Amino acid sequence: MKFAKFAASALAMAAAASAADARDQVQITGSSTVLPYATIVAEAFGENFDFPSPVVEGGGSGAGRKKLCEGVGETTVDIANSSSRISQGDLDLCATNGVAEVMEVRIGYDGIVFASDVNSQDFAFTPADIYLALAKDIAKDGALVANPNKNWAEVNANFKDQPILMFVPGTKHGTREVFDTKVVEAGCKETGAYDLFAAAAEGDEKAKKAAAAKACMELRTDGVSVDIDGDYTETLARIDADKNGVGVFGLSFYQNNTDKLRVATMGGIVPTVDSIAKGEYPVSRPLYFYVKRAHLGVIPGLKEYIEFFVSDDMAGPNGPLAAYGLVSDPELAATQKMVADETPMGALN
Amino acid sequence: MTVAATNPMPTPPAKATHSLLVPNAAMGRRNAAEKRFRAYGLAAIAVSLSVLGIMLWSIFSDGLSSFFQAKLTFPVTLSSEVLDPAGNGLREEMTKVTTIGYGKLLTAAFTAELAAKGISTEGVTDKQLAEMISKDAPGVLRAKVLGDTSMLDQTITMSVLAAGRIDGYLKGRVTMETAERDGNISPEQLQLADRLKTARILGSSFNTRFLTSPDASDQRPEAAGLGVAILGSAYMMLLVLIICVPIGVATSIYLEEFAPKNRWTDLIEVNISNLAAVPSIVFGILGLAIFINFAGFPQSSSVVGALVLSLMTLPTIIIATRSSIRAVPPSIRDAALGVGASKMQTVFHHVLPLAMPGILTGTILGLASALGETAPLLLIGMVAFVDNYPSAPVEGFMDPATALPVQVYSWASRSDPAFIERSSGAIIVLLVFLVVMNVTAIILRRKFERRW
């Protein structure tokens, strides 16, 4: 009896406390690629400011942006991390739910690297190699045929004899989009398969292009290309189990596991923070976070956190984020000014 | 064999063709069948024990090392020139010096100590030398100095964490060979670590911070701890207890002792049994919709986690409580009613105390399964990086927190290999809690159990 009374009063007190107290820490959600960078900043923020450290959640770019657009108020998140740009659909959702203004902050670039077991051969890939290894249909003597390649030596005579086995990020990952457009589609065009797909498609010029791009991205389903829906740790474990595997990783993940992985060059360029910053290494993408402008000045520490994130001490070329594998944005100064002025993002172009 | 089983004795024997004392073929087959069955049973037990053994071995061999941590010990002079540029000793002014400033001070002190002890730093650049100290150390020193500004200009002996790779070297995870290929450590740094160890600057000690510190970012696995997760789990278990026991016990007593047996109570019973079988992720979705979006409870807070886990635990507790109430013999009730007790008095003075051991056991087992639950917490924002301890109850129930199984999951997906050890270490802590709870349940049952 006493117990029940105590329980009821405890719950009532808890509910009252939630109504009275404003949330005093920043809530962040979104991309698991941006997550490690956000935690590094959140931790340093907690150490150096009198505000509590923000709470950072993973879960994926798309899910994070949807959460951001759920509405305005303390029970909604303040920042969505994203490894791809926000879409018009997200912005429309934001507008319907009363999230009028969103700030877009680009924090830098992330490289996507191909790596195999540390004792395997040195791969020097081109997008065409990847396409010939993984595509469902490839061009052969001017005609489309089902991909017959089973061995890297068949793909490119420069490679040593090794069965093809590739671990690519699953379709829910933002990384997959970059892999598709910058590697698979590029390889498709290089090998001439794109033109064959376009010729085979029906409709006007635009429809043909769309059909060809779609056909290019179809990967083979005979077990040679394996989709990994988990994290990079899963890809690493798969390569550990089957030494023939080649995996797709983020640059920062590779840099933390150089003792287990051997990185492949792409188009002759070794992926490093430097070569990505210069734009030489082709497979990279910008990383963003999106801030709910209505929460600035309401949630304590929000403005300070985003200013701290883009400061030279953090996101600059010598900061801890660059040390972890983020490629610093050459236009960081413009971003800093944008954040200081609290400029909301314009329409998507 | 079936012939022997259904027709053991041929009808009517004129003469006994065989005796039970003389083995024959049918009996041989039956004995062999029994032997085979025993062998199958033994094999099944052996398989499950060996699987358990392999699991425990892999967890303990990976995880035990997380309870020990490499530390560097050297004197640091807290120069007021660096830490208090304004020169007035005011805390507000001193907060302007960031951890970067403190980091430089630590590195300088470390270098000076090496020079004083005559330890050669051959082949190690200044930057690499600085990287041997954990990135966590400047923050610790800053918090210490800001906590007591009178320490300025004193020389104190700091014991700070060594970087994750150095720690890995002492534990055998990092070797000279891996260091050759590792971008974050060089063999020269490891050789220096050997010299530091001989000079007793570098040493390994029991890692209390693993149990008390909050989580740390990917750059400092050596500083990551379970403090917030243990607190969060404790808060949630407390709340689950407060919510579930009164509701569960009241429901059970009503259903067992007072409710009429009709279609409605049957329906309720079926539903309770069904609820116990609902996958836990469903409760997470429900929790997000009701407790966060509708009721407006804060995200990632232990109160929401506890409410969701309560939904999951309630059916277990109700089922256990009802069966232990049912196990109280009717003669007790009859006797109580016979001497003039009311129905309510019968229940609360006689039935409930006798059913208590069973209720406690059921509750503890329900809590143990709630303690290990991750899936529903995924959806209510508890799988997160939380760097601040939740404050004391009751307000602390509203603060963001994580839970033990969640910490295992999020460490397992980090990129630095040092987190594998942390993850297994967290599993050990979780297992210890579970074993303690289950043993308590067994002891309570043994102690208070009554046979009728």
Side-chain angles (χ1 to χ4, degrees):
Chain A
M1 285 282 111
K2 255 187 191 163
F3 221 40
K5 243 187 203 164
F6 176 58
S9 57
L11 271 183
M13 271 160 81
S18 86
D21 279 349
R23 175 152 63 82
D24 54 5
Q25 79 286 333
V26 178
Q27 288 263 9
I28 303 167
T29 186
S31 165
S32 38
T33 309
V34 186
L35 180 70
Y37 302 115
T39 54
I40 289 169
V41 178
E43 192 174 58
F45 181 76
E47 277 176 353
N48 284 310
F49 287 78
D50 282 338
F51 298 105
S53 306
V55 173
V56 195
E57 248 191 285
S61 302
R65 295 192 305 246
K66 290 223 158 47
K67 260 190 160 171
L68 183 80
C69 290
E70 253 167 21
V72 175
E74 268 175 37
T75 55
T76 60
V77 298
D78 309 312
I79 295 177
N81 294 326
S82 181
S83 59
S84 52
R85 207 157 181 226
I86 199 166
S87 67
Q88 192 55 48
D90 290 327
L91 288 176
D92 292 344
L93 179 69
C94 268
T96 4
N97 290 335
V99 185
E101 286 175 321
V102 173
M103 283 168 66
E104 180 178 63
V105 183
R106 191 175 59 212
I107 57 169
Y109 294 84
D110 174 39
I112 289 165
V113 308
F114 295 81
S116 51
D117 185 71
V118 71
N119 295 318
S120 73
Q121 60 174 312
D122 272 315
F123 280 108
F125 287 128
T126 62
D129 293 333
I130 303 287
Y131 185 76
L132 290 176
L134 292 188
K136 191 159 171 259
D137 298 307
I138 58 170
K140 202 168 194 183
D141 306 327
L144 286 168
V145 293
N147 194 343
N149 298 331
K150 284 277 177 201
N151 197 300
W152 285 110
E154 294 168 33
V155 169
N156 186 330
N158 293 330
F159 295 146
K160 284 182 200 146
D161 180 59
Q162 180 180 340
I164 304 174
L165 177 63
M166 255 190 102
F167 301 113
V168 300
T171 41
K172 74 164 194 171
H173 287 276
T175 319
R176 176 62 174 266
E177 208 182 304
V178 191
F179 173 75
D180 276 347
T181 52
K182 300 228 163 145
V183 181
V184 178
E185 201 182 330
C188 185
K189 285 181 180 160
E190 240 177 87
T191 56
Y194 182 86
D195 298 328
L196 292 174
F197 282 130
E202 287 171 20
D204 58 4
E205 199 66 7
K206 209 174 150 194
K208 278 188 172 188
K209 269 189 185 167
K214 194 162 171 277
C216 274
M217 287 179 198
E218 269 195 48
L219 300 187
R220 60 203 294 185
T221 50
D222 53 358
V224 169
S225 150
V226 181
D227 274 18
I228 303 287
D229 278 325
D231 299 282
Y232 294 136
T233 39
E234 190 188 338
T235 316
L236 182 65
R238 293 288 197 96
I239 290 182
D240 216 28
D242 191 336
K243 308 281 184 204
N244 285 324
V246 177
V248 178
F249 296 95
L251 177 67
S252 59
F253 189 91
Y254 161 69
Q255 286 192 339
N256 272 296
N257 291 282
T258 43
D259 54 329
K260 298 190 199 76
L261 292 171
R262 181 175 294 262
V263 75
T265 61
M266 177 58 72
I269 308 287
V270 182
T272 59
V273 168
D274 215 36
S275 65
I276 293 166
K278 284 188 189 136
E280 288 164 358
Y281 186 78
V283 199
S284 70
R285 58 165 164 191
L287 299 177
Y288 300 93
F289 65 78
Y290 293 90
V291 186
K292 206 177 281 178
R293 196 161 172 261
H295 283 192
L296 287 174
V298 179
I299 304 293
L302 179 57
K303 175 92 187 281
E304 287 81 357
Y305 170 76
I306 57 177
E307 278 186 328
F308 184 61
F309 202 127
V310 296
S311 69
D312 289 332
D313 282 345
M314 281 289 135
N318 297 317
L321 298 187
Y324 190 71
L326 182 76
V327 179
S328 183
D329 188 351
E331 292 161 29
L332 195 60
T335 311
Q336 286 164 354
K337 186 173 182 308
M338 189 271 287
V339 166
D341 297 345
E342 301 181 11
T343 323
M345 70 181 287
L348 286 177
N349 39 26
Chain B
M1 196 180 113
T2 42
V3 176
T6 53
N7 202 3
M9 290 267 268
T11 48
K15 251 195 297 182
T17 49
H18 60 264
S19 149
L20 276 176
L21 299 174
V22 182
N24 64 3
M27 194 187 240
R29 278 198 301 275
R30 288 194 301 175
N31 287 344
E34 186 184 325
K35 271 204 187 109
R36 274 201 305 278
F37 180 75
R38 283 192 190 185
Y40 296 151
L42 271 179
I45 290 175
V47 166
S48 43
L49 274 184
S50 59
V51 168
L52 180 71
I54 291 168
M55 192 190 83
L56 286 180
W57 183 79
S58 77
I59 289 172
F60 278 84
S61 64
D62 276 353
L64 273 182
S65 56
S66 56
F67 293 93
F68 296 91
Q69 199 67 42
K71 282 186 181 138
L72 295 164
T73 313
F74 52 91
V76 181
T77 304
L78 303 172
S79 147
S80 59
E81 277 167 41
V82 185
L83 304 183
D84 185 21
N88 49 18
L90 287 175
R91 191 186 172 276
E92 290 72 46
E93 297 280 333
M94 284 171 66
T95 55
K96 282 182 188 150
V97 180
T98 62
T99 45
I100 299 172
Y102 283 85
K104 283 179 186 153
L105 187 80
L106 273 174
T107 314
F110 184 47
T111 321
E113 171 74 359
L114 289 186
K117 288 253 171 91
I119 298 166
S120 118
T121 56
E122 199 189 336
V124 180
T125 64
D126 288 351
K127 187 160 172 277
Q128 284 176 327
L129 202 62
E131 279 168 1
M132 291 177 74
I133 305 173
S134 164
K135 291 190 170 66
D136 170 71
V140 173
L141 182 62
R142 184 173 185 268
K144 198 169 178 168
V145 172
L146 291 182
D148 178 12
T149 51
S150 66
M151 286 200 297
L152 273 184
D153 281 324
Q154 288 178 12
T155 300
I156 57 168
T157 306
M158 279 296 284
S159 183
V160 298
L161 294 173
R165 291 292 203 275
I166 302 288
D167 177 52
Y169 177 58
L170 293 193
K171 289 170 182 169
R173 188 178 62 237
V174 176
T175 61
M176 289 291 172
E177 286 148 40
T178 62
E180 292 275 347
R181 300 184 296 254
D182 197 326
N184 293 332
I185 192 95
S186 69
E188 287 78 20
Q189 279 172 299
L190 296 184
Q191 282 156 9
L192 176 59
D194 280 336
R195 292 196 290 273
L196 288 174
K197 213 176 154 193
T198 337
R200 294 185 172 274
I201 295 177
L202 178 67
S204 188
S205 59
F206 185 73
N207 186 10
T208 44
R209 285 192 56 185
F210 183 60
L211 297 174
T212 56
S213 286
D215 195 3
S217 73
D218 289 42
Q219 270 185 326
R220 39 181 102 157
E222 62 277 4
L226 286 168
V228 174
I230 291 177
L231 258 184
S233 275
Y235 279 10
M236 284 199 292
M237 289 308 108
L238 183 70
L239 284 173
V240 169
L241 199 71
I242 291 173
I243 296 166
C244 280
V245 171
I247 298 179
V249 171
T251 310
S252 314
I253 292 176
Y254 181 77
L255 282 178
E256 275 305 314
E257 300 285 338
F258 296 98
K261 287 269 172 257
N262 60 24
R263 199 176 290 179
W264 287 111
T265 47
D266 282 349
L267 192 73
I268 290 171
E269 265 175 50
V270 169
N271 271 314
I272 289 173
S273 312
N274 276 341
L275 267 183
V278 170
S280 54
I281 188 93
V282 175
F283 291 114
I285 296 171
L286 189 78
L288 176 67
I290 294 181
F291 301 128
I292 294 179
N293 291 347
F294 177 72
F297 281 111
Q299 281 221 0
S300 322
S301 60
S302 19
V303 69
V304 179
L307 286 168
V308 169
L309 292 180
S310 298
L311 292 178
M312 245 187 61
T313 318
L314 253 182
T316 323
I317 292 186
I318 293 177
I319 291 169
T321 309
R322 288 189 63 184
S323 66
S324 61
I325 289 178
R326 221 176 296 145
V328 177
S331 55
I332 304 274
R333 296 184 184 83
D334 294 342
L337 292 172
V339 295
S342 72
K343 184 92 190 183
M344 177 115 171
Q345 283 172 322
T346 311
V347 170
F348 283 94
H349 295 177
H350 302 281
V351 178
L352 199 55
L354 288 172
M356 212 38 125
I359 297 175
L360 280 177
T361 315
T363 309
I364 292 174
L365 294 181
L367 281 183
S369 74
L371 180 67
E373 199 57 65
T374 335
L377 305 181
L378 203 70
L379 289 161
I380 55 169
M382 292 196 82
V383 183
F385 173 79
V386 182
D387 196 20
N388 298 94
Y389 297 103
S391 45
V394 174
E395 299 94 68
F397 293 147
M398 289 293 160
D399 288 340
T402 54
L404 274 172
V406 161
Q407 201 66 66
V408 173
Y409 168 76
S410 60
W411 280 347
S413 56
R414 299 266 177 95
S415 63
D416 196 302
F419 278 109
I420 297 170
E421 160 201 298
R422 300 269 149 176
S423 191
S424 298
I427 296 176
I428 295 177
V429 174
L430 184 60
L431 282 180
V432 166
F433 277 109
L434 289 176
V435 167
V436 167
M437 286 172 92
N438 286 333
V439 166
T440 318
I442 292 171
I443 291 174
L444 282 175
R445 196 165 56 211
R446 282 277 167 82
K447 190 156 183 196
F448 295 108
E449 191 178 45
R450 297 192 66 169
R451 299 202 175 275
W452 310 97

